Amino acid sequence: TVYFGANDGMLHAVNAATGEERFAIVPTTVFPTLKDIADPLSPHHFYVDGDIALSNKTLFGNSVLVAALGRGGKAVFAVDVTDASNPKILWEYTDTELGLVLGRPLIAKTNESSTWAAIFGNGINSTSDRSQLYALNLNSGALLARIDTKVGSSNGMFAPRGWDDDGNGTLDYVYAGDRLGNLWKFDFKGTSASGWKTALGSVASPTPMFTAKDSASNLQPITAGLTVALNPRRGSPSYGSKWVFFGTGQF
């Protein structure tokens, strides 16, 4: 099955072999402007405009799709698509500190009783305009953690990437960038979500692991996804060391 969002206000599921539509879902957050599609004089609206993540059925047991509305609204939602012909809407999450979530959510097993979570940056245009990271229970949509970097002024956090540091199948660290050029490292090693935090600095004064600037010290937004990898070259002085790769820019 191929899943995609569209500016008709729907998340679509299409049979990859035949091209037939299996289902279409309209998130409730886009309802208020849905009527404008029929109005030729209405300004353009974005609807289901965000990225999509899908859980690994072998690891999780079910296939759960998590999608953001992107520029279409301040919401993230999840659908159980284990049986793509009989989807089950699990939850739709909104919050005042949630902005327009841009970038693919991360789905991972955490150290809190092996709970699976949907993890995403809060995006742009939130109420406080600070960059923040969300972690929700994948099945219920209940808030597990909201980690506030306290860095604001037209800021927002983008697509996170995770890392299993001890190789036991659970998430230990999360990396994400924000609009003010900060690369953040989050510590998810705790067995209770209440202990998840930025890895550097303190809860009261979080510190990024890197801030991207140009030669004139202008901050460079980190709005796209990251890649985390190990140096595989034997004989290299940094063999086995962990690297975070990212680009900068915005449009």
Side-chain angles (χ1 to χ4, degrees):
T1 306
V2 177
Y3 302 98
F4 60 92
N7 279 336
D8 60 0
M10 303 180 191
L11 170 77
H12 295 271
V14 172
N15 185 313
T18 66
E20 292 183 64
E21 185 167 75
R22 295 189 189 275
F23 67 81
I25 290 173
V26 180
T28 59
T29 306
V30 306
F31 278 5
T33 55
L34 202 60
K35 63 183 185 302
D36 293 343
I37 294 176
D39 183 357
L41 300 180
S42 173
H44 172 74
H45 295 297
F46 291 97
Y47 287 96
V48 186
D49 184 55
D51 239 328
I52 294 171
L54 196 64
S55 70
N56 186 312
K57 183 178 179 181
T58 302
L59 296 176
F60 181 60
N62 293 338
S63 292
V64 174
L65 178 150
V66 178
L69 294 185
R71 297 161 187 83
K74 299 178 179 182
V76 176
F77 64 97
V79 184
D80 187 328
V81 293
T82 306
D83 178 358
S85 298
N86 184 31
K88 300 174 184 177
I89 299 174
L90 298 177
W91 47 264
E92 184 171 346
Y93 186 85
T94 60
D95 183 58
T96 57
E97 290 304 320
L98 198 63
L100 304 176
V101 178
L102 306 173
R104 182 173 298 170
L106 168 68
I107 295 175
K109 184 193 290 187
T110 70
N111 288 298
E112 183 180 79
S113 303
S114 297
T115 299
W116 283 81
I119 301 167
F120 47 89
N122 68 327
I124 59 173
N125 297 345
S126 66
T127 299
S128 69
D129 261 349
R130 297 193 296 264
S131 62
Q132 304 183 50
L133 187 75
Y134 278 83
L136 306 184
N137 184 296
L138 183 59
N139 273 319
S140 68
L143 180 66
L144 296 173
R146 177 172 62 85
I147 306 174
D148 188 350
T149 68
K150 306 185 187 303
V151 179
S153 182
S154 299
N155 202 4
M157 188 162 290
F158 297 87
R161 292 293 180 269
W163 187 261
D164 176 8
D165 205 48
D166 53 14
N168 70 344
T170 58
L171 184 69
D172 294 311
Y173 295 106
V174 173
Y175 300 87
D178 70 23
R179 197 180 180 209
L180 296 183
N182 297 303
L183 177 64
W184 296 93
K185 179 181 181 180
F186 298 93
D187 185 348
F188 274 64
K189 291 185 298 182
T191 55
S192 171
S194 61
W196 300 345
K197 61 187 186 300
T198 54
L200 303 174
S202 64
V203 174
S205 183
T207 302
M209 64 179 293
F210 181 79
T211 299
K213 300 179 181 180
D214 65 12
S215 58
S217 293
N218 296 308
L219 298 173
Q220 301 299 294
I222 305 172
T223 59
L226 318 170
T227 295
V228 186
L230 294 177
N231 179 3
R233 185 178 177 185
R234 294 185 183 276
S236 168
S238 60
Y239 170 70
S241 59
K242 182 170 54 179
W243 294 74
V244 181
F245 299 94
F246 62 95
T248 62
Q250 67 178 2
F251 181 69

